[in-house]
Amino acid sequence: MLLRLAILVTVALSIPAVTYASSVVRTGDSVSIASDQAVEGDFYGLANNVTISGEVTEDLLIGGTSLTVNGKVSSDLLAVAGTVDVYGVVGDDARIVAGEVTIAGEVVGDLVVVAGSLKVLSTAKISGDIIFYGGEAEISGEVGKSIFGTSEIMRIDGAVGGDVDIKTSGLVLGERADVVGMVKFTSATEIVRAQNAKVAGKVAKNDPVVTEVSNFKEALIPVLITLFAALVWFLFFRRMLDKIVLQVNNSLIRSLLIGFGVFFLFPVAVGILIISTLGSLLGITIFFIYLALIMLSLTMAGVIAGSLISRAVVKSSTVTIPYILIGTVATMALMYVPVIGSVLLLMLIFTTLGALTTYLYRLVRSS
């Protein structure tokens, strides 16, 4: 049940543990690096639109609505965005969570994508593996190693240097498909293979296993635990909860962006402090605060979802027990929705984290 969320969290937590003084952080509506500019070190951006036409000599970590990479990223690319387009070069791995992803350039390492759609154009070159979880995938470029993952529909129309091992509703091998290894897929339908498609190894099909919930109590327990936590917030911390809900409803996008920043940048700050002798104790303290904020956000997410549903239905964001119940059930239900459900759940947690962090910051500042 938690597989899709675990995948997203794994991607999100795969950020550098240590950063350098040369790192650059930029936020705003639009963030860009011109073709004649270079960032010596890591680049962290949080904006609606991000365009990288120059060079980033280390890692590129981006959160926003859209990301376009026309230039060069010498190390890793990590992005959470609505759309991601890579026309340039990524010198190591690219890890992306997005609605739509287009790769037209080169990725020297692995390409890990969780998205509604992935297009690897014929001009693209992926030297490592492609690992994809999402909706439709069309891979026409060169893949140096293997292709793994889960996809609703996958079309392969290029060279693959390793194996293909996927779970899908439909697998298509186009005219230019050339797989050096074997093709192993789990699907209810047969493979569609063009006449000129080449597979050096064997083609093996497995029928999908239909899993059913054998014990209703096992499915109900997570809902009850989450609901209990939400009711504790409502009964014992009502005033605090009302302010956090108000923060979300007044500044939804801002809370989302703040939560995204906290989720990614806190571990970076912890890494910097821990490697310094004077700041190691402070770094450990911040780490435990970070974990506490994450746990509190998880328990509060159902309440925030309920307030958003209440606002949409009855035009009121007032927190009530019925809408807490509805929000909690809706939050748990998102885990069962392929791809988009996990993305929405992660956005809900980020939003809750941002509003909670803002509330605590204002509380500390006013005391």
Side-chain angles (χ1 to χ4, degrees):
M1 182 178 67
L2 297 175
L3 175 61
R4 296 182 182 88
L5 182 59
I7 293 169
L8 294 179
V9 173
T10 300
V11 172
L13 291 179
S14 299
I15 62 176
V18 180
T19 188
Y20 300 93
S22 57
S23 299
V24 176
V25 179
R26 291 184 185 174
T27 61
D29 183 63
S30 296
V31 169
S32 63
I33 299 176
S35 58
D36 58 347
Q37 294 178 325
V39 175
E40 298 293 336
D42 299 329
F43 184 86
Y44 301 89
L46 190 62
N48 285 331
N49 301 299
V50 181
T51 303
I52 307 297
S53 298
E55 180 180 359
V56 177
T57 62
E58 296 293 339
D59 297 327
L60 175 65
L61 176 59
I62 296 297
T65 303
S66 67
L67 166 64
T68 303
V69 178
N70 297 315
K72 180 180 180 181
V73 179
S74 298
S75 192
D76 292 336
L77 164 66
L78 300 102
V80 177
T83 60
V84 175
D85 299 310
V86 178
Y87 300 103
V89 177
V90 178
D92 204 340
D93 299 331
R95 304 181 183 94
I96 302 169
V97 178
E100 298 179 0
V101 178
T102 300
I103 308 295
E106 181 180 2
V107 177
V108 177
D110 297 332
L111 174 63
V112 182
V113 176
V114 178
S117 68
L118 167 65
K119 291 184 179 180
V120 180
L121 304 184
S122 58
T123 57
K125 179 180 179 180
I126 314 299
S127 299
D129 297 323
I130 290 181
I131 303 172
F132 175 69
Y133 294 89
E136 298 183 1
E138 184 176 342
I139 302 173
S140 301
E142 178 184 349
V143 182
K145 294 184 179 179
S146 301
I147 299 175
F148 302 100
T150 301
S151 174
E152 292 180 9
I153 301 294
M154 179 170 287
R155 178 182 176 86
I156 299 173
D157 201 11
V160 179
D163 300 325
V164 175
D165 188 353
I166 62 170
K167 181 178 180 181
T168 181
S169 298
L171 175 61
V172 179
L173 297 182
E175 291 286 345
R176 298 188 299 108
D178 186 358
V179 182
V180 173
M182 67 176 294
V183 174
K184 179 182 178 182
F185 68 105
T186 301
S187 178
T189 60
E190 297 294 331
I191 188 173
V192 177
R193 183 173 176 178
Q195 184 176 357
N196 295 326
K198 300 177 183 178
V199 180
K202 66 178 182 179
V203 177
K205 174 182 177 295
N206 295 319
D207 293 325
V209 177
V210 179
T211 58
E212 295 181 359
V213 179
S214 58
N215 191 334
F216 178 73
K217 292 182 180 179
E218 292 181 1
L220 188 60
I221 286 174
V223 177
L224 293 178
I225 292 174
T226 308
L227 180 60
F228 175 78
L231 291 175
V232 168
W233 279 108
F234 180 77
L235 295 174
F236 296 99
F237 303 97
R238 179 66 182 274
R239 185 176 179 182
M240 173 182 175
L241 188 62
D242 288 340
K243 291 184 178 180
I244 293 173
V245 168
L246 183 63
Q247 171 68 24
V248 171
N249 283 276
N250 289 343
S251 306
L252 180 62
I253 301 301
R254 181 182 178 186
S255 296
L256 173 62
L257 294 177
I258 291 174
F260 179 85
V262 170
F263 188 81
F264 280 95
L265 297 181
F266 260 47
V268 175
V270 170
I272 296 173
L273 291 170
I274 287 179
I275 63 173
S276 64
T277 304
L278 296 177
S280 59
L281 181 59
L282 179 59
I284 294 173
T285 302
I286 293 177
F287 175 72
F288 282 108
I289 293 174
Y290 173 76
L291 291 181
L293 287 173
I294 296 296
M295 292 304 298
L296 292 175
S297 299
L298 290 173
T299 61
M300 198 185 295
V303 180
I304 300 302
S307 72
L308 294 174
I309 294 172
S310 175
R311 182 182 178 183
V313 175
V314 298
K315 309 301 180 183
S316 174
S317 58
T318 303
V319 180
T320 61
I321 291 180
Y323 277 100
I324 288 177
L325 175 60
I326 295 172
T328 300
V329 173
T331 300
M332 300 303 294
L334 288 175
M335 295 183 181
Y336 295 93
V337 180
V339 186
I340 189 64
S342 299
V343 173
L344 290 175
L345 181 58
L346 196 59
M347 292 176 66
L348 176 63
I349 294 172
F350 283 164
T351 302
T352 307
L353 177 61
L356 176 61
T357 304
T358 301
Y359 169 81
L360 294 176
Y361 171 76
R362 290 174 177 173
L363 185 65
V364 171
R365 187 176 179 182
S366 62
S367 61

